[in-house]
Amino acid sequence: MQSVKIQRSASLKPKPQDESKLGFGKVFTDHMFTMNYSGEKGWHDPQIVPYESVSLDPAASCLHYGQLIFEGMKAYRTKENKIVMFRPEQNMMRLNTGGERLCIPPIDVDFMVGAIAELVRIEADWVPYSEGTSLYIRPFIFSDEAFLGVHPSGTYRLLVILSPVGSYYAEGLAPIRIHVEDVYVRAVKGGTGYAKAAGNYAASLSSQVAAQKEGFAQVLWLDGVERKYVEEVGAMNVFFVIEDEIVTPELGGSILAGITRASVIELLKHWGMNVTERRVSIGELEDAYKAGELKEAFGTGTAAVISPIGELNRGGNAMKLSDGKIGSISQKLYDELTGIQRCEKPDPFGWVYSVI
Ligand SMILES: *Cc1c(COP(=O)(O)O)cnc(C)c1O
């Protein structure tokens, strides 16, 4: 195993004083992790260095053909002042799954989890203290060979940057309004929907902007072929409570396999609840709504953990859910997951990774 060379910054930045104003992804810490790939050496030269700009040849492949993949994970400060991460090996495995689709060479999962933990230890003072805050961890890989032919790059860079982030719910867990997107699609089976590939997010922006103009927080994507089956919400997976069934769209290549999603499914099963992964159409949801059987809907993702959905709006027809309140299953899952993530509840599945 290679060892990580550490070069400490000579001038540390002041830490944000007011943690209620952190927001998301605006402030970055003093150091970052970098590692390079070449055909001859494989992944090599892992280093933790002062945070700095990246210099690229204008012909660098990522700028033209988008071989760029990323991850999103968090480190949390517990009440005992320890620092932990949540299932980090899952994020590194997903980086390899998506990387394979984009011809990006795989990384060593255990090595990268260790390297990220090392970076977080060096930046421990940047992990915020207030309730609901965390240190967001953004690993990413991009191709940087200078050439204009369309073929996989011969060289890559992997970086990890860190950003202290505020509570997603400044005013407490609040239901969001969702616009059902029926013009554009996010992904199709056989495409790159299951990868956290940069281009997927570029393709989602116009829908996101249009929905936000109408006062919606996010869009709900439908499948790319029949425009009928529900896929996911923005950067969250989605669950619906229909009578006593909790249903989430099955993974089929077009949906991102969220780690929060997988954890929610495991928890629900552990509680003996009826959770199913299957195709669910927007028509089925509308019928269930009319019959009074659509009890709850919520999104799942690292940023929000659980995001209760208060309204699903398709072409002006609003389905209002849970009387604008937080559904009981959403609340229970939120409490349990955030409790495990902050070591305030037992961790029967071994999800918590101790950094300090
Ligand atoms: C990251 C992401 C999710 C959520 O994944 P988590 O691992 O739970 O954070 C869901 N959908 C999309 C499109 C995403 O990018």
Side-chain angles (χ1 to χ4, degrees):
M1 192 59 65
Q2 320 184 51
S3 66
V4 179
K5 202 168 111 196
I6 297 169
Q7 186 196 329
R8 293 214 180 233
S9 170
S11 58
L12 301 183
K13 294 179 254 189
K15 314 274 180 302
Q17 288 307 304
D18 186 352
E19 291 188 352
S20 71
K21 296 207 168 64
L22 281 173
F24 181 84
K26 295 187 292 189
V27 183
F28 300 95
T29 68
D30 293 304
H31 299 88
M32 62 185 191
F33 174 86
T34 94
M35 184 162 74
N36 299 326
Y37 179 91
S38 69
E40 313 82 69
K41 293 190 188 167
W43 284 111
H44 63 280
D45 206 13
Q47 293 191 48
I48 291 171
V49 296
Y51 187 96
E52 62 181 4
S53 301
V54 171
S55 152
L56 286 174
D57 190 293
S61 136
C62 65
L63 300 177
H64 303 272
Y65 308 124
Q67 263 187 300
L68 200 170
I69 193 161
F70 67 93
E71 266 305 327
M73 51 210 276
K74 283 175 170 177
Y76 308 89
R77 191 181 293 280
T78 72
K79 284 217 172 89
E80 275 79 53
N81 212 18
K82 296 197 165 57
I83 296 173
V84 300
M85 298 192 284
F86 185 72
R87 311 187 76 178
E89 73 294 342
Q90 296 292 322
N91 293 89
M92 293 301 101
M93 283 158 61
R94 187 167 66 191
L95 204 51
N96 281 345
T97 310
E100 190 179 10
R101 179 67 180 79
L102 270 69
C103 291
I104 291 174
I107 44 111
D108 181 321
V109 168
D110 292 337
F111 172 76
M112 272 314 300
V113 170
I116 290 172
E118 184 66 38
L119 177 64
V120 172
R121 273 192 291 274
I122 286 174
E123 302 293 50
D125 290 349
W126 283 92
V127 183
Y129 289 79
S130 318
E131 168 120 31
T133 61
S134 56
L135 186 67
Y136 186 78
I137 304 168
R138 169 54 61 87
F140 57 109
I141 304 177
F142 56 91
S143 57
D144 67 345
E145 191 184 339
F147 72 94
L148 293 180
V150 179
H151 63 77
S153 175
T155 59
Y156 297 84
R157 291 196 67 187
L158 184 159
L159 264 60
V160 183
I161 57 174
L162 306 177
S163 172
V165 298
S167 174
Y168 195 85
Y169 296 106
E171 265 100 63
L173 201 59
I176 55 171
R177 295 178 65 217
I178 302 275
H179 168 76
V180 180
E181 174 61 66
D182 43 20
V183 179
Y184 296 111
V185 299
R186 175 184 173 276
V188 290
K189 286 191 200 327
T192 58
Y194 66 91
K196 266 186 172 340
N200 292 346
Y201 301 83
S204 75
L205 295 174
S206 62
S207 300
Q208 171 79 8
V209 169
Q212 281 174 349
K213 262 193 202 134
E214 303 292 318
F216 297 102
Q218 300 269 355
V219 302
L220 177 72
W221 298 105
L222 300 179
D223 80 276
V225 178
E226 297 181 63
R227 311 283 179 99
K228 187 172 153 187
Y229 296 101
V230 169
E231 299 236 304
E232 56 183 319
V233 169
M236 290 192 285
N237 296 110
V238 67
F239 287 73
F240 304 95
V241 183
I242 306 173
E243 289 285 74
D244 70 345
E245 182 193 16
I246 305 163
V247 54
T248 190
E250 65 190 12
L251 303 175
S254 56
I255 298 173
L256 204 285
I259 295 156
T260 320
R261 173 188 183 278
S263 307
V264 160
I265 293 171
E266 275 194 64
L267 271 178
L268 291 170
K269 285 187 176 158
H270 182 66
W271 290 335
M273 296 176 94
N274 174 21
V275 55
T276 46
E277 298 173 68
R278 63 169 174 87
R279 293 215 291 183
V280 51
S281 70
I282 190 74
E284 178 186 348
L285 294 178
E286 285 165 345
D287 290 346
Y289 178 73
K290 281 187 209 123
E293 293 170 353
L294 184 58
K295 307 286 185 210
E296 249 181 82
F298 56 90
T300 65
T302 296
V305 189
I306 301 291
S307 188
I309 296 173
E311 178 183 330
L312 276 176
N313 192 300
R314 188 186 188 199
N317 293 321
M319 294 189 257
K320 305 252 190 202
L321 302 173
S322 314
D323 300 323
K325 298 194 197 77
I326 297 142
S328 58
I329 295 173
S330 308
Q331 185 73 54
K332 187 169 153 77
L333 284 166
Y334 179 81
D335 293 344
E336 191 69 21
L337 273 174
T338 53
I340 295 173
Q341 285 168 345
R342 287 166 198 280
C343 301
E344 285 159 26
K345 293 208 176 212
D347 173 26
F349 308 102
W351 286 340
V352 172
Y353 178 100
S354 181
V355 175
I356 294 180

